[in-house]
């Protein structure tokens, strides 16, 4: 598993697994727990979740998956969770984090993110993150859905340079961040976490992806993921419950796209020619 250095020390695996829509249906709880365990057995160590997903239900799925699972030591896992912007004030962050810890059944969250910008001044959220870090409840903190001006504003706050990641929408059909967000994060040494790297499956019928997939004997979505994984300073967190999907996503790490593949994909999904509004899902 390839890794990227975290600015505060430690390593971030380049491939993780997402959990949006997990925890929504009681009938799916066991298959979802099984999927996360299967992913961990197959070497996945990075799990992304959020208090928002199924109102804490996804965190409960993660908690159940890691509880009593002997395959992985807690210290080898990187658990990412996110606080909602309307909980971004000091007391709100404290309470949200305690609730997430309880649902996850763990003493600490490795990476705690502000899910997107809200109305609370950044400094107040930052102070709360620093307090959680000093008390050991989180190891690192970061942000999500931040555009360039948000990153600049956050970084100018005292303590704001301790930014471990910016999690943003990034895949072949959403390349706007290549213009400014990605280069800026790279310059700061902040890894970017690409969410919805498969565009939630919608990329599967793209002819250019099928063409490249055929050359490599893989699926179009594996190519879409391989393309994200080929980007510098980028981590991808595809969500998958189907075990075959998990397997394919892990195998996508071994797909080496060549110049001809990149040229074809760049023609079908052109890189940005200027700044654009940050896209979100
Ligand atoms: P995604 O990872 O792009 O796509 C997930 C969908 O693709 C699921 O329906 C999954 O099906 C399917 N899939 C996965 N691997 C596949 C494969 N190899 N072949 C075919 N289908 C495959 O979308 P996402 O869930 O929106 O994004 C990933 C994670 O990013 C989320 O789960 C969440 O943790 C995070 N996220 C963060 C934000 C944010 O605002 N920070 C926003 C969106 C997402 P099965 O489940 O049936 O296997």
């Amino acid at each position: 598993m390839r890794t990227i250095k975290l600015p505060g020390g430690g390593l971030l695996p380049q491939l993780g697994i997402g959990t949006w829509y997990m925890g929504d249906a009681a009938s799916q709880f066991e298959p979802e727990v099984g999927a996360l365990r299967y992913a961990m057995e197959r070497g996945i160590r990075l799990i992304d979740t959020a208090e928002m997903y199924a109102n804490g239900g996804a965190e409960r799925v993660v908690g159940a998956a890691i509880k009593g699972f002997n395959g992985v030591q807690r210290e080898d896992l990187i658990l990412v969770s996110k606080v909602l912007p309307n909980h971004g004030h000091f007391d709100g962050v404290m309470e949200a984090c305690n609730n997430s810890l309880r649902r996850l059944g763990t003493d600490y969250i490795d990476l705690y993110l502000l899910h997107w910008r809200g109305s609370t001044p950044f400094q107040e959220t930052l102070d709360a993150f620093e307090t959680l870090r000093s008390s050991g409840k989180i190891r690192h903190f970061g942000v999500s859905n931040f555009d360039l001006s948000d990153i600049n504003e956050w970084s100018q706050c005292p303590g704001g340079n301790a930014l471990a990641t910016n999690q943003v929408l990034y895949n072949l059909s959403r390349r706007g961040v290549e213009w400014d967000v990605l280069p800026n994060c790279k310059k700061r040494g902040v890894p970017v976490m690409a969410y919805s790297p498969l565009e939630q499956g919608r990329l599967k019928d793209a002819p250019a992806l099928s063409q490249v997939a055929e050359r490599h004997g893989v699926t179009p979505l594996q190519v879409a993921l391989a393309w994200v994984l080929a980007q510098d300073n980028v981590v991808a967190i595809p969500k998958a419950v189907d075990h075959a999907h998990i397997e394919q996503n892990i195998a996508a790490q071994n797909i080496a796209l060549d110049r001809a593949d990149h040229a074809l994909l760049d023609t079908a999904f052109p890189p940005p020619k200027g700044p654009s509004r940050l896209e979100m899902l």
Side-chain angles (χ1 to χ4, degrees), residues 210-223:
S210 302
Q211 212 176 319
V212 175
E214 219 166 280
R215 284 186 191 168
H216 291 266
V218 297
T219 71
L221 288 184
Q222 281 183 294
V223 174

Side-chain angles (χ1 to χ4, degrees), residues 14 29 51 84 94 99 116 130 133 152 185 188-189 191-192 197 202 216 220 236 273:
Q14 213 204 351
F29 189 84
E51 63 164 334
L84 282 164
M94 296 299 146
N99 288 336
W116 63 89
E130 268 304 343
R133 193 161 67 154
N152 286 335
C185 287
R188 293 176 188 276
V192 169
R202 289 183 288 273
H216 291 266
K273 292 195 174 72

Side-chain angles (χ1 to χ4, degrees), residues 17-21 48-49 53 82 115-116 144-145 167-168 194-201 219 221-222 237-242 244-246 248-249 280-281:
I17 187 164
T19 63
W20 197 13
Y21 298 115
D48 179 79
T49 190
Y53 303 159
K82 313 180 197 85
H115 210 145
W116 63 89
S144 177
N145 296 301
Q167 185 179 115
V168 292
Y195 75 68
S196 308
L198 311 174
E199 186 60 21
Q200 300 187 321
T219 71
L221 288 184
Q222 281 183 294
I237 46 166
K239 173 256 181 188
V241 172
D242 185 308
H245 290 164
I246 295 171
Q248 288 167 3
N249 294 344
M280 285 173 70
L281 283 184

